[in-house]
């Protein structure tokens, strides 16, 4: 049962905690890790439709991420319109062409070779949905005044992590795409002045033939230090 009280006049509710025995916790965390470790960034999408309700649930999951002072400084723009997808592809490929042909230093290009990426971004039209996360650098209130947000970059990063996990949970695939620079997205999607593009995530079923690089993830002692 949820209990409620006021602290210094502000409403609080009892936290709905869910705890487990140590063996259950070990099993659960191990299963979760093994399931999450199966997530891969994909670049070959099917055009098979995905129910809108699934995308809504994924976005609600992402938007449940913690944020500075609970300001939720993000907007998730969802594009399924073929005309807008095409426009985004044209603009992204323009930028990416310049990046791959002069803007990116040789070391960067060399680091990307095992991933076999290039300036072609067909997935921007194939994937049934493009979710573009915009970061709010401040709030624009109804009356036109501005409100401060805190740790907006960290907050959006957390929301994107939740988003990718929710996409994986739905059995769908995603790509964290960062066409650089991304400013064209403000214009194409007619976003207000307080929003900056943060990440572009195509979402959909993986294509029947979907190949991903054979990567290894770092072992625990390379990513964790215990004190
Ligand atoms: N934004 C480019 C390049 C690119 C950069 C990194 I770092 C990657 O991990 C993958 C790609 C692109 O999307 O192709």
């Amino acid at each position: 049962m949820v209990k409620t009280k006021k602290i210094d006049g502000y409403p609080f509710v009892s936290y709905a905690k869910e705890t487990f025995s140590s063996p259950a916790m070990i099993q659960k965390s191990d299963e979760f890790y093994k399931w999450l470790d199966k997530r891969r960034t994909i670049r070959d999408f099917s055009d098979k439709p995905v129910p809108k309700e699934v995308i809504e649930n994924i976005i609600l999951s992402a938007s449940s991420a913690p944020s500075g002072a609970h300001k939720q400084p993000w907007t998730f723009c969802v594009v399924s319109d073929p005309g807008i997808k095409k426009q985004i592809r044209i603009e992204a490929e323009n930028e990416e062409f310049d990046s791959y042909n002069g803007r990116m230093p040789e070391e960067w290009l060399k680091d990307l070779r095992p991933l076999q990426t290039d300036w072609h971004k067909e997935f921007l039209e194939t994937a049934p949905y493009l979710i573009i996360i915009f970061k709010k650098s401040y709030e624009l209130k109804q009356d036109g005044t501005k409100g401060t947000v805190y740790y907006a970059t960290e907050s959006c990063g957390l929301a994107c992590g939740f988003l990718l996990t929710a996409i994986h949970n739905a059995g769908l695939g995603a790509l964290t795409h960062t066409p650089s620079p991304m400013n064209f997205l403000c214009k194409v999607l007619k976003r207000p002045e307080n929003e900056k593009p943060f990440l572009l995530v195509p979402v959909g079923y993986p294509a029947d033939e979907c190949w991903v690089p054979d990567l290894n993830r770092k072992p625990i002692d390379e990513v964790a230090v215990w004190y």
Side-chain angles (χ1 to χ4, degrees), residues 43 96 100 104 108 112 115 117-118 121 177-180:
R43 289 182 170 78
E96 293 292 274
Y100 279 90
M104 288 151 84
W108 193 349
L112 289 180
L115 309 181
T117 60
D118 63 27
K121 303 298 171 192
H177 183 40
T178 48
S180 178

Side-chain angles (χ1 to χ4, degrees), residues 17-18 38 43-44 46 53 99 103 112 128 157-158 161 164 172 182 184 198-199 207 222:
K17 54 182 173 284
E18 203 185 353
K38 287 191 197 140
R43 289 182 170 78
D44 303 318
S46 155
E53 202 178 338
S99 294
R103 282 205 295 231
L112 289 180
L158 289 162
L164 296 179
L172 298 171
M182 292 206 275
F184 68 88
F198 187 75
L199 190 64
E222 267 186 59

Side-chain angles (χ1 to χ4, degrees), residues 135-152:
K135 175 177 95 172
K136 292 187 182 179
S137 9
Y138 55 92
E139 281 182 335
L140 257 185
K141 307 212 177 127
Q142 299 275 5
D143 61 4
T145 60
K146 293 178 181 179
T148 309
V149 299
Y150 311 92
Y151 301 101

Side-chain angles (χ1 to χ4, degrees), residues 14-225:
S14 55
Y15 175 58
K17 54 182 173 284
E18 203 185 353
T19 57
F20 307 95
S21 68
S22 292
M25 214 172 9
I26 291 168
Q27 192 186 336
K28 239 172 122 24
S29 56
D30 182 59
E31 282 170 5
F32 182 78
Y33 155 58
K34 285 182 176 135
W35 167 78
L36 193 57
D37 194 39
K38 287 191 197 140
R39 185 209 57 80
R40 293 299 309 269
T41 286
I42 63 160
R43 289 182 170 78
D44 303 318
F45 288 86
S46 155
D47 61 0
K48 185 176 164 185
V50 169
K52 186 180 172 200
E53 202 178 338
V54 174
I55 303 299
E56 281 174 356
N57 288 334
I58 284 168
I59 291 172
L60 286 170
S61 303
S63 199
S64 75
S67 61
H70 189 50
K71 295 286 181 180
Q72 299 182 266
W74 45 63
T75 303
F76 297 86
C77 292
V78 185
V79 178
S80 58
D81 180 280
I84 305 177
K85 285 201 287 187
K86 191 187 196 97
Q87 211 184 335
I88 290 176
R89 177 180 176 182
I90 291 168
E91 303 246 16
E93 286 188 333
N94 261 335
E95 294 295 357
E96 293 292 274
F97 183 89
D98 290 350
S99 294
Y100 279 90
N101 294 283
R103 282 205 295 231
M104 288 151 84
E106 189 48 42
E107 187 188 4
W108 193 349
L109 294 171
K110 187 167 141 280
D111 280 339
L112 289 180
R113 241 161 255 147
L115 309 181
Q116 285 292 293
T117 60
D118 63 27
W119 63 269
H120 296 94
K121 303 298 171 192
E122 199 185 329
F123 51 75
L124 292 173
E125 284 192 89
T126 322
Y129 289 103
L130 306 178
I131 303 181
I132 301 105
I133 297 91
F134 282 82
K135 175 177 95 172
K136 292 187 182 179
S137 9
Y138 55 92
E139 281 182 335
L140 257 185
K141 307 212 177 127
Q142 299 275 5
D143 61 4
T145 60
K146 293 178 181 179
T148 309
V149 299
Y150 311 92
Y151 301 101
T153 305
E154 291 83 348
S155 303
C156 286
L158 289 162
C160 288
F162 278 37
L163 183 82
L164 296 179
T165 309
I167 292 168
H168 182 53
N169 177 62
L172 298 171
L175 165 63
T176 44
H177 183 40
T178 48
S180 178
M182 292 206 275
N183 304 338
F184 68 88
L185 291 165
C186 303
K187 186 174 49 98
V188 174
L189 301 173
K190 303 184 177 70
R191 300 314 304 160
E193 59 173 34
N194 63 326
E195 293 187 8
K196 298 278 166 287
F198 187 75
L199 190 64
L200 194 169
V201 184
V203 184
Y205 290 94
D208 287 341
E209 279 237 13
C210 182
W211 296 92
V212 294
D214 189 7
L215 305 179
N216 293 310
R217 303 203 208 268
K218 291 179 180 173
I220 186 73
D221 38 297
E222 267 186 59
V223 295
V225 185

